[in-house]
Amino acid sequence: MNTYNIDIKPKKHLLKINFKEIWFYRDLLYMFVKRSIITVYKQTILGPIWFIVQPIMTTGMYMLVFGRIANISTDGLPQILFYLSGIVIWNYFHECFNQTAHTFNQNAQIFGKVYFPRLIIPFAEVLSGLIKFFIQLAIFIIIYLYFLYSGNTTIQPNWTLALVPVYIVLMAGIGLAAGLIFSSLTTKYRDLNHLLTFGIQLLMYATPVIYPVSTVPEKYKIFIQANPLTPVLEGFKYAFLGAGHFSWQALAYSGGFMTILLFMGIIIFHQTERNFIDTV
Amino acid sequence: MKNNPTNIGQKISGLNFFKNGMYMSQPIIKIENLGKLYRLGEVGTGTLSHDLNRWWKTRIMGKEDPYSIIGTINDRTQAAKKGEHVWALRDINLELQEGEVLGIIGKNGAGKSTLLKILSQVTSPSSGRVRARGRMASLLEVGTGFHQEMTGRENIYMNGTIMGMRKREITSKLDEIVDFSGVAKYLDTPVKRYSSGMIVRLGFAIAAHLEPEILVVDEVLAVGDAEFQKKAIGKMQDVSKSHGRTVLFVSHNMAAVKSLCKNGIVLINGYKRFEGKISDAIDFYQDNNVLITNKNNYWEFGNDAENDNIRVNSIKITPINGTVLDIGSGVRIEIDFFNKVKDITEDLTFEILTKDDVLVFHHGFVFAKDRNSKQGKHKITAFIPPDLLNANIYSMNLFFGQSQRYLLFRRDRICAFEVENIPLESNMAVLPGIVRPAVSYTLDYHENNTQTITKTILTDATGDRCQQ
């Protein structure tokens, strides 16, 4: 008869996520989400308003640089809506990826002292990112509704709005998976830290955030379409604005990509968390 | 599987079995052949080829890990070859019964912290297995997860949940925690405004209110002031004795270990070398502590006690008066060293500790004032006056410092010496206490409350030396 509930062995199941255990630690998850939200605006005057200042300023900048100066098409849509929608959904991916990519390095201190399911930290980052995303989405929707009711006919919302939650899950999933892999590799190979910031920046230009796929020259289109983030960006804009492209195949491609990447991410993450404290 | 709520049912039935005496021998923690391999030298760049090689050999070819073969005994005095692997812990077998309080002692680097880290599931073992039952909380430091910007109250929740408490559990104990920590006034102030002592108090208060079946404690008691340490030790005793918790306790403070633990193990170079009663364990440890008393009280160090600033050549300890080092003789300590740094303000500082690692005193001597230190051979002789140290075995920590701020050299327990007892009258036993000063007394005797008949000066038991 074995009543032992703690069993520490050199190896453990790589793919097994102990959801029961994570559920037991849900209060900790909540505390981490709370921490990452409130610590951002402690000792600032504007506080949480910073969450909306950033996308609005960025939108303004893009309107000026890409809209006015470079004259990149927005598929005939109001520039502010086109850029803001792209930025809002992209920001969520950026947040998920960037924050989870620092899981090990930023929490080495805690990880070295206490055990809890390590996945709590990336999950908390994804959730706190979601809160920021909803704040930014609210701003977008306010501006969107204003255009809609002021009789702008270029905007054609459609039934794919129902797929918006799917897009959010895809962004969170891909961002989380990429972040898990990144954070695991950076524990040993710190070089990757340097790659991260501009890597995400480059990825943004390889994703139709500030331009529609329709403006991409035919011979490069294949690359843009191979990017699993492209269907999400296009679909998100299509749902709200009605311009762009939507296809189930592309969506399934993104979903499949996310699933595979998540599997890889979790395996690598588990592999790393076992002994990471010895190599950090 | 830690803190898994579904196991509570099993745990309770386990307890009942325990009470019925059926499972008296079923230990709460069972450690089998536990080992941990570390790689020395720099980890980071250049390991990719190693990693690939290892992966290829072990996973694909099914051979033994090519880099673990050179795993040697963890003796940190031997210079490490680059990339060498070392067993920080090897073949540890241990069983703890419910309610047992175990002290783990050993020198720095003996594997104590590695053992605690594995038990805390912070790192995984390289071999062997640990099984335990119930909730396990580890206190490798206090206040883990405290965020500078968050208030005391927020941090109580943060730290509490990290340690595996539920929110409502914390809420129900909040008053007790605040009360115990004594920082009630600052509860809604960000922790960054706290003094370091307050942070420690708050952190320990939270930890003290965890209710795990197994508590793993590292040297957290080394921080905080004396009053707080006392409180902390008291709390731990309370937890182990009245609540029947199982505690694993690591400390260099022999006095604390002795007062808390019933049993102890001694780790030397990663191996368990002793297991038994705590007092025996401490004796074993002290007998095996390399630099314990040397018959001639003379130590030569070669290049053993050397760094870029200082090389200590030798230390000689002799009585100031007479030929026997005893309570009344005083202690002369001659430290012969080569000073490599010139033109700085330099001091020599030493600490005297008892056998139980209680600090008796800390004393410094600025031998080069106004940046006039010279390169070369120096000899400093320190005189500890008679009638100060009680009979005991003392060890000495030696430091060299710059401007009394920067540490140039440090060597703990560089040497040890014994001060012998001078019996008091016919009582041959060593008197209790750390110091035994020469105290003089006067006695005024009055008969019928009127007139002084005799005024006697009584002297200290050590006789004529202090008669005035």
Side-chain angles (χ1 to χ4, degrees), chain A residues 1-11 16 18 20-21 23-28 30-32 34-35 38-39 42-43 109-116 118 188-189 191 271 273-279, chain B residues 1-3 5 7 17 23 26-28 36 38 44 48 51 118-134 136 138 140-141 144-145 147 149 154 157-158 161-162 164 166-167 192-193:
Chain A
M1 180 176 153
N2 182 15
T3 56
Y4 293 116
N5 61 328
I6 301 170
D7 194 354
I8 306 168
K9 280 184 291 191
K11 292 204 172 75
K16 201 175 143 203
N18 195 339
K20 230 184 229 168
E21 195 183 27
W23 178 245
F24 181 83
Y25 275 95
R26 61 192 181 275
D27 287 342
L28 178 61
Y30 168 79
M31 284 309 298
F32 274 124
K34 190 175 168 187
R35 186 180 82 170
I38 63 175
T39 53
K42 285 252 166 147
Q43 268 202 16
Q109 179 61 21
I110 300 179
F111 284 7
K113 300 295 179 188
V114 184
Y115 171 80
F116 54 86
R118 303 307 190 209
K188 246 187 158 174
Y189 310 105
D191 319 47
Q271 182 78 34
E273 74 170 25
R274 286 174 41 230
N275 283 318
F276 130 84
I277 212 66
D278 306 332
T279 54
Chain B
M1 286 289 280
K2 197 179 134 181
N3 295 348
N7 284 297
F17 277 123
Y23 274 79
Q26 174 100 315
I28 190 164
K36 175 80 185 174
Y38 277 115
L48 187 59
D51 287 351
I118 293 173
L119 290 174
S120 318
Q121 302 183 63
V122 159
T123 186
S124 66
S126 310
S127 66
R129 186 175 189 186
V130 179
R131 277 174 297 173
R133 119 172 88 82
M136 182 148 85
S138 53
L140 300 192
E141 75 176 354
T144 308
H147 195 288
E149 296 288 347
E154 286 165 342
Y157 281 96
M158 188 75 234
T161 48
I162 283 186
R166 301 297 314 278
K167 249 176 77 185
K192 64 179 170 183
R193 309 252 179 270

Side-chain angles (χ1 to χ4, degrees), chain A residues 85-98:
Chain A
S85 60
I87 289 167
V88 164
I89 188 83
W90 175 261
N91 268 359
Y92 183 46
F93 168 77
H94 180 281
E95 185 79 13
C96 288
F97 187 4
N98 196 33

Side-chain angles (χ1 to χ4, degrees), chain B residues 416-453:
Chain B
F417 57 92
E418 181 166 10
V419 173
E420 287 184 24
N421 193 23
I422 296 181
L424 174 77
E425 310 283 312
S426 60
N427 183 359
M428 298 299 287
V430 176
L431 295 178
I434 293 166
V435 292
R436 198 173 124 184
V439 180
S440 50
Y441 306 85
T442 65
L443 170 70
D444 291 346
Y445 176 69
H446 305 273
E447 194 169 59
N448 305 327
N449 271 343
T450 49
Q451 170 196 11
T452 302
I453 292 185

Side-chain angles (χ1 to χ4, degrees), chain A residues 203-221:
Chain A
L203 189 58
M204 190 185 94
Y205 291 108
T207 310
V209 177
I210 45 173
Y211 55 86
V213 174
S214 57
T215 59
V216 178
E218 229 18 77
K219 60 176 175 178
Y220 297 125
K221 224 168 213 168

Side-chain angles (χ1 to χ4, degrees), chain B residues 63-84:
Chain B
K63 285 184 186 163
E64 204 178 330
D65 187 339
Y67 295 102
S68 75
I69 295 167
I70 45 174
T72 52
I73 291 183
N74 176 18
D75 183 352
R76 77 192 142 83
T77 55
Q78 306 285 312
K81 292 180 212 100
K82 198 175 183 304
E84 192 182 0

Side-chain angles (χ1 to χ4, degrees), chain B residues 305-326:
Chain B
E306 178 171 12
N307 66 11
D308 293 342
N309 305 314
I310 299 288
R311 184 182 74 230
V312 179
N313 297 321
S314 68
I315 295 179
K316 191 175 169 190
I317 295 178
T318 47
I320 300 171
N321 310 310
T323 53
V324 181
L325 197 61
D326 61 18

